[in-house]
Amino acid sequence: GAVVSQHPSWVICKSGTSVKIECRSLDFQATTMFWYRQFPKQSLMLMATSNEGSKATYEQGVEKDKFLINHASLTLSTLTVTSAHPEGSSFYICSARAMGRSGNTIYFGEGSWLTVV
Amino acid sequence: GDSVTQMEGPVTLSEEAFLTINCTYTATGYPSLFWYVQYPGEGLQLLLKATKADDKGSNKGFEATYRKETTSFHLEKGSVQVSDSAVYFCALSNAGGTSYGKLTFGQGTILTVHP
């Protein structure tokens, strides 16, 4: 079964509105989560690293004020797309880093399809 | 910066056919290489990985060999099944320590296997 749950899977919103996407680690604590975005026919691109209890680290070219990341607990990171624009219609997917005795393991969520109309 | 180029799809095969999905990369240093698979409605799952040159990753009948001289990590399977239908992503990681988990992905290849 899934160990990282992402919600919602599909969302349609109007241009100019905000949308929140959640990423939850279900049976482990994740101090670090990652958010990726994929435009049609392009690669999954890392947007930001989400750190529990501190500010997210954004990749170059990602607008921080348009993609707000909150990692307020050890099992939940949220990505809020503010003032959504049709050009921002995209696939968003998160991953969470689980630390274990044998090393770190990365688990991905199911992804979220955002369509802005 | 680092990049991954993956064979464009979609790829459509008959059951028991041979599969190759090409993947080449550009990176500094000595990255780790991965293949991820995403089945419909599910998250990305690690299929296999290789952490150094000439390593061969294998899982569920899939194989890929880390070729530093050709900067490639092609995915192969000798006999595909309908259940292998999914999206396959090639990826690399050059990040360790606190940045472990940051991946650079290819664009993904959709594989459809018909009975």
Side-chain angles (χ1 to χ4, degrees):
Chain A
V3 294
V4 173
S5 176
Q6 197 170 332
H7 178 80
S9 300
W10 302 84
V11 58
I12 299 174
C13 72
K14 291 185 177 180
S15 182
T17 62
S18 295
V19 173
K20 180 184 287 187
I21 301 170
E22 295 185 345
C23 180
R24 292 182 185 274
S25 56
L26 298 182
D27 54 4
F28 66 96
Q29 294 181 334
T31 56
T32 302
M33 294 184 177
F34 302 92
W35 285 98
Y36 294 83
R37 177 174 59 184
Q38 184 181 32
F39 290 110
K41 298 188 178 181
Q42 296 186 25
S43 300
L44 280 162
M45 298 293 293
L46 179 66
M47 297 176 64
T49 302
S50 174
N51 304 300
E52 187 270 334
S54 65
K55 291 182 179 180
T57 305
Y58 290 82
E59 296 299 303
Q60 193 172 14
V62 176
E63 298 163 289
K64 301 178 185 180
D65 56 344
K66 291 191 175 180
F67 299 97
L68 303 179
I69 292 173
N70 187 342
H71 195 155
S73 79
L74 286 170
T75 58
L76 174 65
S77 174
T78 59
L79 169 68
T80 302
V81 182
T82 65
S83 299
H85 191 278
E87 292 178 352
S89 297
S90 182
F91 177 71
Y92 295 87
I93 193 165
C94 68
S95 66
R97 185 168 73 202
M99 293 188 287
R101 293 179 183 176
S102 58
N104 296 327
T105 304
I106 301 298
Y107 297 100
F108 280 85
E110 305 93 329
S112 301
W113 289 96
L114 169 64
T115 300
V116 183
V117 297
Chain B
D2 298 342
S3 67
V4 176
T5 302
Q6 209 174 317
M7 171 178 163
E8 282 199 34
V11 174
T12 303
L13 295 172
S14 297
E15 207 165 23
E16 299 184 2
F18 184 85
L19 168 71
T20 299
I21 301 177
N22 290 336
C23 172
T24 57
Y25 67 91
T26 302
T28 56
Y30 302 93
S32 295
L33 302 175
F34 307 84
W35 277 100
Y36 280 86
V37 58
Q38 185 172 30
Y39 299 104
E42 300 183 17
L44 267 68
Q45 302 172 26
L46 179 64
L47 180 59
L48 54 85
K49 70 177 182 181
T51 58
K52 62 182 187 296
D54 299 325
D55 267 2
K56 177 186 284 187
S58 61
N59 186 24
K60 300 181 181 179
F62 291 90
E63 293 183 340
T65 301
Y66 190 143
R67 301 286 188 200
K68 191 164 179 62
E69 65 276 12
T70 54
T71 61
S72 65
F73 193 54
H74 304 321
L75 182 68
E76 296 182 336
K77 186 173 185 181
S79 176
V80 293
Q81 305 299 313
V82 173
S83 58
D84 293 327
S85 297
V87 183
Y88 292 81
F89 292 91
C90 185
L92 71 82
S93 174
N94 236 335
T98 56
S99 295
Y100 181 88
K102 295 177 67 172
L103 298 168
T104 300
F105 283 92
Q107 66 268 48
T109 301
I110 299 173
L111 170 66
T112 303
V113 180
H114 293 297

